[in-house]
Amino acid sequence: MNTPTKHLPADERRAATVESVVALAASCNPSDITTAAIAEHMQVTQGALFRHFPSKDAIWEATMGWVAERLLSRIDRAAKGIASPLAAMEAMFMSHVEFVVAHPGVPRMMFGELQRAELTPAKRMAQTLIQRYGERLHGLMAQAKACGELPPELDNEAAATLFIGTIQGLVMQSLLAGDVTRIRRDAPRVFDIYRRGIRSAA
């Protein structure tokens, strides 16, 4: 049973709303999640939601902001203190995988937002997340080239795109299989192939 959130302070109510959307997206098509469903999950009225968010789009924007903050913080912590840039990239990769396992609704939401034709605030937030993620990868690749872990002729842009796309591919396979935890099993082998590929880039 969900814990009632009727008497939470405003900041906690907004956070609880976002966490409810993430939880619902794990088992529902995100585009089918209504404010009524969110309110029911939280055991509050729709009116209570709209006292803290002006619209459903605002809820989605806040949710994508939550995703961006949590994911980037997680991969930053994973890479921190690792001397080898390539090892730091691997730590980021595996940390991202664990984030997906912990929050299986997140990739559903990301795919849904990025497929929308219109540029909504939530879609803009998703695009910014990918851009900021890519910047971190570019930095590590530059370090890896400087210390000889990667060849100087490696196309950083393509390698960053492939890094993110590889995770997205693993996510898609796990969704098709109906078992998000398989991504945890497949990720080490897949990253090994990715690493060998960028090391031998010419």
Side-chain angles (χ1 to χ4, degrees):
M1 179 179 291
N2 301 319
T3 301
T5 55
K6 293 181 180 179
H7 305 296
L8 293 179
D11 287 348
E12 291 184 30
R13 170 66 57 78
R14 284 189 284 269
T17 303
V18 165
E19 289 167 8
S20 292
V21 173
V22 173
L24 288 167
S27 57
C28 306
N29 184 336
S31 64
D32 294 336
I33 299 174
T34 63
T35 53
I38 298 168
E40 181 180 358
H41 187 268
M42 296 176 65
Q43 299 182 17
V44 299
T45 65
Q46 288 189 68
L49 290 184
F50 289 119
R51 281 197 291 273
H52 301 285
F53 294 96
S55 65
K56 181 181 176 181
D57 281 346
I59 295 174
W60 252 243
E61 181 181 8
T63 302
M64 291 309 305
W66 181 95
V67 170
E69 179 185 352
R70 297 297 192 284
L71 178 56
L72 291 174
S73 293
R74 186 173 189 134
I75 64 173
D76 285 346
R77 287 195 305 272
K80 186 176 181 180
I82 299 178
S84 161
L86 261 183
M89 288 175 63
E90 181 175 10
M92 286 172 58
F93 191 94
M94 299 307 169
S95 180
H96 191 155
V97 163
E98 290 301 326
F99 182 81
V100 171
V101 173
H103 306 290
V106 166
R108 293 172 181 267
M109 294 169 54
M110 285 286 293
F111 289 139
E113 286 302 322
L114 293 173
Q115 288 174 26
R116 293 179 67 168
E118 68 275 23
L119 185 59
T120 64
K123 181 176 180 179
R124 191 179 299 111
M125 189 75 72
Q127 292 173 331
T128 300
L129 165 59
I130 292 173
Q131 177 187 346
R132 291 172 64 192
Y133 200 128
E135 289 168 356
R136 286 158 167 77
L137 292 171
H138 280 280
L140 286 171
M141 288 177 197
Q143 294 174 33
K145 288 181 178 181
C147 70
E149 285 191 339
L150 289 176
E153 62 271 19
L154 175 69
D155 184 334
N156 288 5
E157 188 70 35
T161 298
L162 183 59
F163 183 102
I164 296 171
T166 299
I167 295 174
Q168 291 172 335
L170 283 167
V171 170
M172 289 298 296
Q173 290 295 323
S174 70
L175 292 176
L176 287 169
D179 177 16
V180 73
T181 62
R182 71 169 285 174
I183 191 175
R184 183 184 281 147
R185 183 188 70 232
D186 294 341
R189 294 179 295 131
V190 170
F191 186 84
D192 184 57
I193 293 172
Y194 171 80
R195 177 173 46 217
R196 280 185 277 150
I198 60 174
R199 274 179 167 169
S200 61

